[in-house]
Amino acid sequence: MTMSNGNALSVTSTNGETKTNKTLKIFVGYDPCEDIAYEVCRHSILKRSSIPVEITPIIQSDLRKKGLYWRERGQTESTEFSFSRFLTPYLADYDGWAMFVDCDFLYLVDIKELTDLIDDKYAIMCVHHDYTPKETTKMEGAVQTVYPRKNWSSMVLYNCGHPKNKVLTPEVVNTQTGAFLHRFQWLEDEEIGSVPFVWNFLEGHNKVVENDPTTFPKAIHYTRGGPWFEAWKHCEFADLWLNEMHEYTYEAKKKIIEI
């Protein structure tokens, strides 16, 4: 379930300097209940990427077998990766830039456009949402929790070598509170860089403004629930996800036949 397209990555920071980096490591939150969401998210990144990427699912059962994750699942955790996501810098060996993203994303453009926004002065970079969900449940009845900086942690670029991020050890990820982790309380506000909302476009919340192409999503986040759930099969942008799913399914079957 890991894919690599090469060994070098050229990243242009916001100060105009071009840096050479390793393959961009992308860690995708995985939940057995949403396997197809993971596969489609992965497919949408790989097929559009012009830079080398390595995509790895964060699978809780695997982390437990390796002794990296042992905390009990709380009642407010709607997915298996609610907290394991914060192992990203550790899993990337605290080296270079890496990305974490929830599995319920669909990428519509080249991921290079996102890496072009990287600036080494930040410890992390993400969309700074101001979001209070109207629904009390999501994804087949899971509780919709409300807290400051909600959805900021659903897609994060981590400067894994930043000294502050070395705080994120397995011990800390397994024992710290949800507030500490999801609100990035190991960082100062000025260490949290911002990227445009179109990179974490919340279906049902963010809106496309007519005649303003800068508001069209580059990555759709089906945070309430996506078309892979019966209750959300007619949500906004469902057609885009379904088209991607059909393409992924066709290509997967074609590979099996070829084998």
Side-chain angles (χ1 to χ4, degrees), residues 14 97 118-124 159 162 190-192:
T14 54
W97 282 84
I118 284 176
D119 192 324
D120 281 335
K121 73 179 182 180
Y122 297 114
I124 66 171
N159 186 355
H162 193 285
E190 59 269 22
E191 295 169 326
I192 305 172

Side-chain angles (χ1 to χ4, degrees), residues 14 74 137 150 153 173-174 179 217 226 242 254:
T14 54
T137 61
K150 184 172 177 64
S153 63
V173 172
N174 280 281
L242 290 169
K254 185 178 179 181

Side-chain angles (χ1 to χ4, degrees), residues 6 9 31 34 42 46 49 54 63 86 99 101 105 126 151 172 192-193:
L9 170 63
D31 193 302
E34 299 183 82
R42 174 180 175 274
L46 286 174
S49 182
E54 181 182 282
L63 296 174
F86 297 103
M99 186 176 84
V101 63
F105 269 68
C126 64
N151 271 312
V172 166
I192 305 172

Side-chain angles (χ1 to χ4, degrees), residues 17-34:
E17 296 180 353
T18 300
K19 304 169 289 183
T20 299
N21 203 344
K22 297 178 181 178
T23 296
L24 178 66
K25 294 180 180 179
I26 301 175
F27 296 89
V28 182
Y30 182 86
D31 193 302
C33 296
E34 299 183 82

Side-chain angles (χ1 to χ4, degrees), residues 160-250:
C160 300
H162 193 285
K164 287 286 190 75
N165 287 330
K166 293 183 179 180
V167 168
L168 295 177
T169 62
E171 179 69 24
V172 166
V173 172
N174 280 281
T175 58
Q176 271 291 353
T177 65
F180 178 86
L181 295 168
H182 285 282
R183 300 179 199 176
F184 311 128
Q185 290 180 350
W186 70 93
L187 301 172
E188 301 298 327
D189 288 354
E190 59 269 22
E191 295 169 326
I192 305 172
S194 178
V195 297
F197 78 95
V198 290
W199 286 104
N200 189 345
F201 188 102
L202 303 178
E203 181 276 326
H205 173 68
N206 292 129
K207 300 298 180 184
V208 176
V209 178
E210 188 175 1
N211 298 322
D212 184 357
T214 65
T215 63
F216 194 82
K218 294 180 183 292
I220 301 169
H221 184 187
Y222 299 89
T223 183
R224 301 184 300 168
W228 54 96
F229 291 121
E230 181 65 24
W232 297 100
K233 65 181 182 179
H234 298 302
C235 67
E236 189 177 13
F237 303 112
D239 57 329
L240 297 180
W241 188 91
L242 290 169
N243 288 340
E244 196 83 18
M245 185 269 291
H246 291 315
E247 184 177 288
Y248 156 73
T249 303
Y250 173 79

Side-chain angles (χ1 to χ4, degrees), residues 30 32 58-67 69 80 84:
Y30 182 86
I58 292 184
I59 302 176
Q60 188 182 122
S61 59
D62 289 349
L63 296 174
R64 289 187 182 278
K65 290 176 183 177
K66 296 176 181 177
Y69 194 78
E80 287 196 359
S84 58

